[in-house]
Amino acid sequence: MKEKFNVVGKPVIRQDGRAKVTGQAKFADDYKFPNMLFGVMVRTNSTHALIKKIDYSSIANDKNIITIVDANDIKGLKKTGLIRKDQPVFAFEKIVTPGDVVAMLVGENEDELRTLARKVKIELEELPVLTDPEKALDENAPLIHPEFGTNLIIHHPLRKGDIEKGFADSDFILEQTYTTPHIEHAYIEPECVIAIPLGDKGIHIIGSIQNPFTARRIVAEVINFPLNKVKVEQAELGGSFGGKDDTMCILSARAAVAALKTNRPVKIKYSREESILESYKRHPYRMHYKVGYTKDGKIKAMKIDILADGGAYCSMTPFVTWRSVVQATGPYEIENVWTDIRGVYTNNPYTGAMRGFGSPQIIFAQESLMDEIAIHLGITPDEVRRINGFRQGSITASGQRLENHEVNLIKVLDIACEKTNFKEKWLENQKHQNRRIPTIEFDEKIRNRKLILSKEEFVEPNEIWKKGIGLAVSFRGSSLGAEGIDAAAAYLSIQNDGTAYLLCGLAENGQGMRTTYSIIVSEVLGIPVENIYYLEMNTSHIPDSGPTVASRSTIMGGGAVKNAAEVLRKRFENFLREYWKLSDDDLIIFENGSVFVKGKEEINLSFSEFSNLAYKNGICLASIGWYQGPKIHWEEETGHGSAYFTYVYGCQVAEVRVNIITGEVYVDRITAVHDAGKIINILGAMGQVYGGVTQGVGYAIFEELDKHNGKPRELNFDQYIIPTSKDVGEIIPIFVEGKDEYGPWGAKSLGEPTLELTSAAINNAIRNAVGERYFNLPINLEEILLKRKPRPEDLKRGSL
Amino acid sequence: MISKFNYVAPNNLRSALKFLSDKKTNSKILAGGTDIIPGFHIESKRFIDTELLIDIKKIPGLNEIKEKKDYVEIGACVTFSQITESDIIKQYFPLLAKAAETVGSVQIRNRATVVGNFVNNAPCADSVPPLLVYNAKIEIQSLTKKRQIDLQKFLIKPYTTALKKNEIVTKIIIPKPDPDLKGDFYKLGRRRAVAISRISLAVLMKKKNDLIDEIRIASGAVTPIGTRLYDLERFAKGKQANSETYKELAIQMGRLVLEITGLRWSSEYKLPVLQQTFYQLLERINSDEN
C-alpha cells in the first residue's frame, strides 16, 4: 500500500469551477441549433383515468404547430423503464399520475405552443384514485397497472436466526412507527434536452442527463435504432442528486421521436413547475420497528415491516428498497432479524433514485430507535451503539462477514463523541426536566377555547430556546452491490508534449469526479493536474460503464482511471528501462512533471520531453483502463448474501436549538465523521459533506412534497422549502481513512453517507433538547408543537 | 408562462401618468417587479391581462430617502436594500430597517421597493406593520391631482388598495416619532431567509411611571392585511407595564385575531404561537427600556 502521496489528498482547485462561476460552462439550454424546434407537453388534469380519445382538431391547423407527436409515432417500445417496462413515453391507455404526458406539440415558438397545449381535448373516463400506499394491497384497491394483477412492485424479505426466540430472550420490547415524506431533488437546473437527427448516422442527444448510457439504451429501444446510432452527450449538469435518470431518458426519447419525425433538431426544456410535477421523488416510507433487547442493552431481535410508496411507476423501487433491506437493522450485530419491505404502486408521483437511495429513511427510524433504547435503559446513546455496533469480523443481517476492510464504526463514533464532548453535553441537557414543549391540544369540541392561552401557559423569555445534542451512525455498502454488473472504463491519452486527455465512462453530475480522476492520473504519472484535459462525456467515445449512481464514481471510475494510468506507467517504465539501460532494481519515478531514476537523479527528463521521446520511438501513449468489482451473491428469498463488496462507516453529531414556543429548530453545528477510505480529492470531499449535510437538514426539518389527490402541492421553491445558507450553522467534516483493498488506494464512497445520517442525528438532538420524540419527517414548526401537520383543503396558494 | 405586453420606461412622472391615464389600456406600474414578474409566471388573475408595463425606475427623484425637519420621505423606487443601509431610517425608524432586513434575500431586497410592498398589499407584506406603527402617510399623484392619505386607510383588503387606475404612489411620508417610543419588530417564517411571513408584529411603546402611556401595535400575516390594532391599543393604555399586562394583551390579541379571521386550517398552530411571540415581543421591549 502506497504511503506517501504527492497530489492525492492535497487541495486541488476544481477543474470545472472557474467556467461554472463565470458563466462560461455550457448547460443543455445553452445549446442552440439552426432550424431548432421546441417540444411542449400536453397533460390532463386527471390523476387516474382511461384515455378514450385525444382530439387535436382545435389546434391541428394552427400555424405554430409543425407536428404533434404521441404514442402512435413510436416505432419501438411504447413503454420503458430501467427495471420494469411500465412507463409510457406518451400515455396512450391510461393516466396514472398527474405528471403524465399524452402528447407533445412541436413548433418554433415555445410560448405559443404552451398556450395551444391547453386546448387539446382529451376524453377521459375517470377511475378511482389510490393515493394511500397502505390501501394499495387491499383486495378492492384500484389497480394502477392491471397487467401485473397487483399493486405490489416488490417484496424483499430477510430472515436471520429465530425471531420469536430472540424476543423471548429479551428483557424489553419496544415498538415504534416512523414515516418519511416525498422529497424533491431540487436540482438548480430543470430538465433540458435536444435531439439532433444525423441522417444515416442516427441521432445525437445532448442534455442534462445523469446517466448517458442508460439514456442511450432507452432512446434506442423507443426509436428502434442500434446502440451505435444513438450518440448521447452530456451537457454540463446543473445538479442531479439521482434525479436526472428516468425522467431524462424519457425526455430524450420524446425529443428523438420528434426530431426523426420532423428531421429537425428538437429541444425540450422544462419550467420548474413541470419539473416538479413530472419528475420522480424520494420514496416515502412507513416503517414499523419492533426491537427486543436485554437490560444490558444488547439487541436480541429486530422485526421490521416497511412500506414504500413507489407511486405510479416502478422506476428504481426494487433497488431502492433492496438497499433498505440490507441496511435496515443499522450497523449492529443482531442474531435474529425478520424484515419485510414492500414497494407498491399508487397514483402519487413516481419515486426513484435520490441521493441516499433507501437509506435516509431507515436510518431515521433505526437511529431514533437506538436512542430510545439508550434512554429507556439509562445509558448514553454512544454506549448502546458500542454494545451492538459492528466490529472487525461482525456478521451483518444478511449473513455477510465484514472483512477485507477496516470496520471503523466504533472509531468514527469515538472520534465524533470526543470532538463534540458528546457524552457530557448530552447528560447535562438530559438532566433538565422543565424543558418540555407546551404541546397544543386540539380538541374538536372545544377548539376555539383551547387556542386562547391561559396566563400559566406563557413561556418566559429565558426559557424559549433549548439546546440539544444527538448522534447517528451508519454503515453503507459501496457502489451497486448485487443490483447489477459493476465495472467502469477510462480512456487516457498522453500527447507528445506531455499533456493529456482523460475520459471515464461515468458522468460528471457535479460531484467533482473530473478533478478526482485528474488527481489520480497526476499521482500515477506525475503529470500536473492542470495539464490534464477532461473530455466531454459522449457515449460514442468510451465504453459503457454503467450508471453514475450509488456513490460509485471514485471507487469504480477512479479504479478504472488508475488502471489506465498504471498500464501506461508500466509501458513507459519498460521503454525507459531499455532506453536508459537500467537494471531491474532501478526505480523509475514519475513525479511533479518529471521522470527520473531514484538515486541516479542525473538520469532525468521532463514529462514533456519524455512524451515526445516515447512518441518518436513508436510507443503507444494511450490506454483504456478497466475496473471490475469483485463477485457478490444474493439470495432473494431469504435476504442472504454478501450484498456489497465493501462498506463505509459514518457518525454525525447534531447540535441544535429548539424554540419551544414557535417550533423552530436551528442546527448550530453538525460534526460529520466519515470513513470513506482514502480521500483523493480533499476539497471535493469537504464539499460533499457540506452539501450532503445541508440536504440532510432539509430532510429533517423543512422538506416535504405534499400531495392533493396525487398532485404535488408545491410546484416551485416559493412553497417547497429547502434550507438556505442562513438555516444551517457550522458543518465540520472529519475524515477517517480506513484501509481497503478495493478502489484507488482504498478510496471508497462519500456522496450519499453525508446525507443519510443527518435527519436521525437532528431528531435525537431535538429529543435531548425538549424531551419529546418525533416520528414523522419533516420535524417542521407544526410537527414540533402539534405533532401533526394541518393543511389547507385545496391547492390554492396563500399564506403558509 | 408570461403573456405578451408592452413596456415603457418614461423619464419623467408626467409622462408616466399620461400612460396611466389612458383608460383603454390595461396598464400596471413596474418598480422592482418582484411581485409582478412571479405573478405573471403563476398566471395570477391580477396581472394576466396587463397590456402595458410602465417602468418608473427612470424617473428622477423617486429613489431617494429625504430627511426633512419633522418627517422623512421615502420615494416610490427606494429598495429594501436602500432602507437597510440608510442611517436616517436606522436612526428614526429602526423597526422598518429591521423588517426590511427580513425581506426575501439580498437579490430580492436589491430590487423590491417598500412602496411596491404595500401597493401589492399581500397579507404578509413585511414593511406594513412597521410603517403603520410609525403612522406613515403616502402621497399619491395623478395627472390632475396630488393627495395624501394615511397608509392604514390606503390598505383596503388583501391585494386591494385605494389606488386609482390613473394614480401613482410617489412617496411615503413618515413623521419622526417621539423619541420615548421604544419598540421592536418580529417576524416568523419557515426559514431564516427567503421566507414568507407567517406572523409579523410591530410594536412601539412609551412608559410613564410604570404605566403604558402610549402603545401602537400592528400585525401582518395573521390578519387579512397588515393592520393597526387600535382596540388592543386602547385596552393597553394606562395599564401597568408588567408581565401580567403583557400576558393579558397577548391573550386579548389571540381573541381579536380569532374574531377577525375565524378558524382556519392554520389557526391551531398560528394562534397560540401568535400569543406567545407577542408576549415575548412586549417583554423584550420592556427589558430594552430598563
Side-chain angles (χ1 to χ4, degrees):
Chain A
M1 188 60 81
K2 187 165 175 165
E3 293 296 337
K4 190 182 151 284
F5 292 92
N6 291 308
V7 195
V8 162
K10 307 273 184 340
V12 172
I13 290 170
R14 189 187 173 100
Q15 289 207 329
D16 46 359
R18 179 178 290 271
K20 280 177 177 165
V21 298
T22 56
Q24 297 170 62
K26 219 169 160 184
F27 293 87
D29 193 28
D30 296 325
Y31 287 83
K32 292 175 177 71
F33 295 88
N35 292 320
M36 189 170 80
L37 301 171
F38 291 92
V40 166
M41 303 306 149
V42 178
R43 296 192 180 85
T44 71
N45 283 320
S46 186
T47 302
H48 196 194
L50 293 174
I51 301 170
K52 307 303 277 186
K53 194 180 161 197
I54 308 171
D55 176 6
Y56 303 113
S57 59
S58 60
I59 61 158
N61 296 322
D62 192 287
K63 63 178 182 355
N64 289 298
I65 303 268
I66 303 275
T67 191
I68 300 171
V69 290
D70 61 18
N72 295 318
D73 295 296
I74 293 176
K75 298 202 164 60
L77 295 180
K78 289 188 192 321
K79 288 186 180 182
T80 72
L82 306 180
I83 299 174
R84 184 190 270 189
K85 300 211 178 299
D86 62 356
Q87 186 170 12
V89 178
F90 294 106
F92 55 98
E93 297 161 322
K94 287 181 80 179
I95 299 298
V96 291
T97 193
D100 280 349
V101 168
V102 295
M104 184 169 80
L105 309 186
V106 182
E108 288 175 355
N109 187 324
E110 197 182 2
D111 284 343
E112 296 293 344
L113 293 178
R114 285 184 191 274
T115 311
L116 292 171
R118 297 173 194 187
K119 296 182 179 162
V120 177
K121 291 196 189 89
I122 304 156
E123 229 176 87
L124 299 169
E125 183 185 322
E126 294 292 335
L127 295 170
V129 171
L130 171 69
T131 54
D132 182 356
E134 304 213 29
K135 293 181 180 147
L137 301 177
D138 288 357
E139 222 170 291
N140 56 354
L143 288 179
I144 309 302
H145 298 283
E147 63 270 33
F148 301 118
T150 169
N151 287 327
L152 183 69
I153 299 171
I154 189 77
H155 171 207
H156 293 297
L158 184 150
R159 310 284 181 252
K160 181 189 180 191
D162 181 342
I163 191 75
E164 290 313 321
K165 184 173 178 302
F167 284 124
D169 291 346
S170 301
D171 297 315
F172 306 103
I173 288 173
L174 181 62
E175 282 189 72
Q176 301 287 23
T177 301
Y178 304 85
T179 68
T180 64
H182 279 97
I183 294 289
E184 161 64 27
H185 301 77
Y187 26 77
I188 194 166
E189 175 207 25
E191 294 78 357
C192 182
V193 66
I194 309 117
I196 306 118
L198 302 177
D200 291 346
K201 287 187 159 179
I203 194 149
H204 183 187
I205 309 279
I206 303 173
S208 52
I209 296 167
Q210 178 185 334
N211 296 318
F213 287 101
T214 320
R216 181 179 69 157
R217 196 183 91 211
I218 299 294
V219 170
E221 284 172 358
V222 171
I223 62 175
N224 218 3
F225 272 30
L227 289 175
N228 70 348
K229 291 212 167 164
V230 180
K231 177 161 71 174
V232 178
E233 184 180 338
Q234 189 196 34
E236 288 288 348
L237 201 73
S240 179
F241 312 112
K244 285 177 176 163
D245 194 3
D246 316 39
T247 314
M248 284 313 302
C249 292
I250 290 209
L251 289 192
S252 301
R254 286 180 196 152
V257 169
L260 293 176
K261 190 172 176 185
T262 57
N263 201 28
R264 289 169 71 172
V266 174
K267 178 188 271 188
I268 300 171
K269 62 172 179 184
Y270 271 4
S271 65
R272 179 64 62 186
E273 284 80 2
E274 280 183 294
S275 170
I276 294 186
L277 178 64
E278 188 179 330
S279 69
Y280 53 92
K281 313 296 170 211
R282 188 191 295 291
H283 288 74
Y285 273 27
R286 194 222 57 184
M287 299 166 279
H288 187 80
Y289 272 70
K290 179 179 176 184
V291 59
Y293 51 99
T294 68
K295 55 184 188 309
D296 304 322
K298 177 73 194 153
I299 296 170
K300 301 298 284 184
M302 199 179 272
K303 191 170 183 185
I304 304 165
D305 188 15
I306 296 176
L307 184 68
D309 183 356
Y313 301 110
C314 169
S315 182
M316 281 289 158
T317 295
F319 290 169
V320 169
T321 50
W322 179 72
R323 187 173 279 278
S324 307
V325 83
V326 175
Q327 295 171 188
T329 45
Y332 306 111
E333 199 161 21
I334 304 170
E335 284 166 63
N336 308 295
V337 180
W338 181 286
T339 307
D340 288 293
I341 302 189
R342 290 176 181 82
V344 295
Y345 284 126
T346 64
N347 291 119
N348 289 324
Y350 75 114
T351 48
M354 183 173 178
R355 190 179 191 177
F357 205 78
S359 72
Q361 297 95 330
I362 50 146
I363 291 172
F364 169 67
Q366 136 247 315
E367 285 300 275
S368 298
L369 192 66
M370 291 304 284
D371 261 40
E372 287 308 297
I373 294 171
I375 290 165
H376 176 231
L377 294 174
I379 58 180
T380 54
D382 54 316
E383 274 175 67
V384 75
R385 288 166 174 89
R386 279 195 192 88
I387 293 167
N388 296 285
F390 285 153
R391 288 161 197 274
Q392 205 67 40
S394 283
I395 309 282
T396 69
S398 71
Q400 180 175 8
R401 180 179 294 279
L402 296 172
E403 50 197 0
N404 300 331
H405 67 277
E406 281 185 307
V407 179
N408 274 335
L409 181 78
I410 303 299
K411 191 168 174 185
V412 294
L413 173 69
D414 285 344
I415 292 171
C417 288
E418 195 191 306
K419 292 277 178 194
T420 56
N421 204 4
F422 176 83
K423 205 163 177 164
E424 195 175 302
K425 284 182 191 166
W426 189 85
L427 286 169
E428 179 60 30
N429 294 335
Q430 208 68 6
K431 269 188 219 159
H432 301 281
Q433 292 305 309
N434 58 341
R435 313 172 62 82
R436 300 191 77 83
I437 285 180
T439 308
I440 300 158
E441 301 286 340
F442 191 71
D443 183 336
E444 279 297 322
K445 280 174 245 157
I446 47 166
R447 41 199 244 165
N448 292 17
R449 199 147 37 97
K450 277 285 184 184
L451 295 180
I452 302 300
L453 302 180
S454 63
K455 280 187 185 169
E456 300 71 50
E457 287 175 295
F458 283 93
V459 178
E460 294 309 319
N462 58 348
E463 289 289 321
I464 289 174
W465 287 98
K466 308 294 184 195
K467 279 188 170 192
I469 189 168
L471 65 76
V473 296
S474 75
F475 81 127
R476 181 182 185 89
S478 289
S479 200
L480 298 173
E483 274 178 35
I485 303 132
D486 209 352
Y491 166 70
L492 175 62
S493 172
I494 311 294
Q495 307 307 297
N496 47 12
D497 64 354
T499 61
Y501 288 121
L502 176 62
L503 180 64
C504 173
L506 297 176
E508 175 62 70
N509 297 329
Q511 76 277 45
M513 65 162 217
R514 292 171 184 146
T515 311
T516 302
Y517 295 165
S518 299
I519 291 171
I520 291 171
V521 170
S522 179
E523 187 68 44
V524 176
L525 291 173
I527 309 174
V529 171
E530 58 272 20
N531 286 354
I532 298 165
Y533 181 102
Y534 197 90
L535 289 165
E536 296 71 27
M537 176 62 195
N538 186 320
T539 52
S540 48
H541 297 168
I542 186 85
D544 186 345
S545 301
T548 307
V549 297
S551 305
R552 69 191 280 269
S553 301
T554 301
I555 187 167
M556 300 306 300
V561 168
K562 181 161 173 271
N563 176 245
E566 281 171 346
V567 164
L568 285 188
R569 169 139 178 181
K570 183 98 192 133
R571 193 182 295 159
F572 295 166
E573 282 186 21
N574 289 342
F575 163 68
L576 281 176
R577 217 171 281 285
E578 199 172 308
Y579 183 82
W580 277 336
K581 300 186 170 47
L582 302 174
S583 78
D584 286 354
D585 300 336
D586 284 319
L587 206 55
I588 302 170
I589 307 285
F590 290 75
E591 213 173 82
N592 300 327
S594 59
V595 187
F596 58 90
V597 180
K598 194 171 184 190
K600 301 177 184 171
E601 274 79 3
E602 69 282 5
I603 309 178
N604 70 77
L605 284 169
S606 72
F607 190 77
S608 166
E609 290 165 336
F610 160 77
S611 302
N612 195 34
L613 177 75
Y615 174 74
K616 284 183 172 161
N617 280 274
I619 303 296
C620 172
L621 299 183
S623 67
I624 296 222
W626 188 250
Y627 187 75
Q628 189 181 4
K631 289 261 182 307
I632 37 193
H633 81 279
W634 186 256
E635 291 165 32
E636 183 61 31
E637 296 71 29
T638 54
H640 275 241
S642 55
Y644 297 92
F645 60 80
T646 191
Y647 292 83
V648 294
Y649 303 88
C651 177
Q652 288 185 0
V653 175
E655 293 173 73
V656 306
R657 270 178 291 156
V658 183
N659 182 321
I660 63 166
I661 63 168
T662 61
E664 290 163 283
V665 175
Y666 185 73
V667 178
D668 284 316
R669 189 179 299 109
I670 300 275
T671 305
V673 185
H674 291 277
D675 174 7
K678 182 75 200 164
I679 300 296
I680 308 272
N681 178 357
I682 182 67
L683 296 181
M686 290 164 75
Q688 286 288 351
V689 175
Y690 299 139
V693 164
T694 303
Q695 279 185 315
V697 170
Y699 194 49
I701 60 180
F702 294 113
E703 295 182 43
E704 172 171 31
L705 191 94
D706 187 30
K707 289 92 44 205
H708 182 75
N709 200 34
K711 187 175 185 192
R713 275 181 197 276
E714 299 85 5
L715 289 175
N716 209 329
F717 296 129
D718 58 335
Q719 299 193 303
Y720 187 82
I721 304 291
I722 61 173
T724 70
S725 59
K726 278 185 127 180
D727 295 299
V728 189
E730 196 182 4
I731 299 169
I732 304 172
I734 297 171
F735 300 113
V736 173
E737 299 184 296
K739 289 192 171 53
D740 200 299
E741 63 181 272
Y742 302 114
W745 301 290
K748 296 190 272 191
S749 308
L750 182 63
E752 292 169 283
T754 57
L755 176 152
E756 64 187 10
L757 288 158
T758 317
S759 71
I762 289 173
N763 193 26
N764 289 337
I766 294 171
R767 170 69 176 80
N768 184 234
V770 299
E772 284 287 341
R773 170 62 57 186
Y774 293 89
F775 299 93
N776 307 301
L777 290 180
I779 311 167
N780 64 10
L781 305 177
E782 286 88 349
E783 189 65 37
I784 289 278
L785 294 192
L786 309 171
K787 292 212 161 184
R788 84 187 152 270
K789 301 179 179 88
R791 319 223 182 254
E793 274 144 28
D794 55 31
L795 278 173
K796 266 200 300 204
R797 286 176 193 243
S799 167
L800 300 170
Chain B
M1 194 172 57
I2 299 179
S3 50
K4 283 179 192 138
F5 55 82
N6 288 317
Y7 167 90
V8 290
N11 59 11
N12 65 77
L13 188 61
R14 200 175 158 71
S15 161
L17 289 167
K18 265 190 178 162
F19 280 115
L20 262 186
S21 61
D22 174 3
K23 289 192 180 111
K24 281 173 283 177
T25 309
N26 192 350
S27 53
K28 282 261 184 294
I29 300 161
L30 176 79
T34 54
D35 286 311
I36 283 192
I37 303 302
F40 283 151
H41 190 71
I42 62 166
E43 297 174 18
S44 160
K45 285 200 179 70
R46 296 190 293 137
F47 303 119
I48 193 93
D49 298 325
T50 304
E51 294 163 299
L52 177 68
L53 273 188
I54 305 162
D55 189 339
I56 58 170
K57 285 195 292 296
K58 296 206 170 128
I59 300 171
L62 290 188
N63 66 344
E64 289 170 18
I65 299 169
K66 290 182 201 153
E67 182 177 0
K68 305 283 165 129
K69 184 165 173 288
D70 298 324
Y71 59 93
V72 171
E73 289 181 357
I74 299 171
C77 292
V78 169
T79 64
F80 282 106
S81 290
Q82 281 176 274
I83 294 287
T84 60
E85 286 155 18
S86 160
D87 291 333
I88 302 168
I89 301 293
K90 280 188 240 176
Q91 184 187 343
Y92 297 110
F93 315 111
L95 277 62
L96 181 61
K98 189 170 177 182
E101 278 170 25
T102 71
V103 171
S105 60
V106 174
Q107 294 93 328
I108 293 170
R109 292 196 289 273
N110 284 344
R111 288 204 66 89
T113 63
V114 185
V115 169
N117 197 218
F118 63 74
V119 167
N120 187 53
N121 201 17
C124 54
D126 288 318
S127 66
V128 168
L131 287 172
L132 289 178
V133 296
Y134 288 124
N135 291 331
K137 281 181 187 309
I138 55 173
E139 188 167 293
I140 298 173
Q141 233 173 297
S142 69
L143 264 186
T144 53
K145 222 166 78 182
K146 189 188 273 191
R147 60 177 176 132
Q148 286 193 1
I149 177 174
D150 284 342
L151 177 62
Q152 179 72 84
K153 289 197 180 115
F154 178 75
L155 306 172
I156 293 176
K157 59 180 190 182
Y159 306 105
T160 306
T161 67
L163 193 68
K164 297 194 188 102
K165 193 203 165 291
N166 62 346
E167 291 179 324
I168 289 179
V169 177
T170 51
K171 62 177 100 150
I172 311 168
I173 301 153
I174 325 180
K176 292 178 183 171
D178 177 346
D180 289 340
L181 278 168
K182 307 287 180 196
D184 207 347
F185 171 80
Y186 174 76
K187 166 172 171 170
L188 175 68
R190 286 203 179 270
R191 61 185 167 195
R192 295 194 164 196
V194 210
I196 297 166
S197 283
R198 305 199 70 210
I199 295 175
S200 60
L201 294 166
V203 175
L204 284 178
M205 180 163 70
K206 187 167 104 180
K207 289 196 294 196
K208 204 170 172 183
N209 305 329
D210 291 331
L211 299 180
I212 299 173
D213 185 46
E214 185 184 356
I215 189 164
R216 301 180 193 170
I217 305 164
S219 65
V222 289
T223 39
I225 56 170
T227 310
R228 272 286 284 275
L229 300 167
Y230 294 112
D231 285 351
L232 198 59
E233 293 175 11
R234 276 192 290 275
F235 177 85
K237 194 173 160 68
K239 286 204 156 62
Q240 289 283 331
N242 62 22
S243 298
E244 276 298 295
T245 301
Y246 300 149
K247 285 176 189 170
E248 273 173 35
L249 275 174
I251 290 167
Q252 207 54 33
M253 164 77 100
R255 291 206 180 105
L256 195 64
V257 168
L258 184 59
E259 203 179 290
I260 295 170
T261 64
L263 267 182
R264 298 184 173 195
W265 70 267
S266 55
S267 300
E268 55 174 317
Y269 171 81
K270 268 188 171 182
L271 265 182
V273 175
L274 169 67
Q275 294 164 73
Q276 293 276 14
T277 52
F278 183 50
Y279 169 65
Q280 295 302 321
L281 185 63
L282 293 171
E283 284 283 9
R284 193 158 63 240
I285 295 166
N286 192 53
S287 64
D288 284 352
E289 273 195 45
N290 293 339

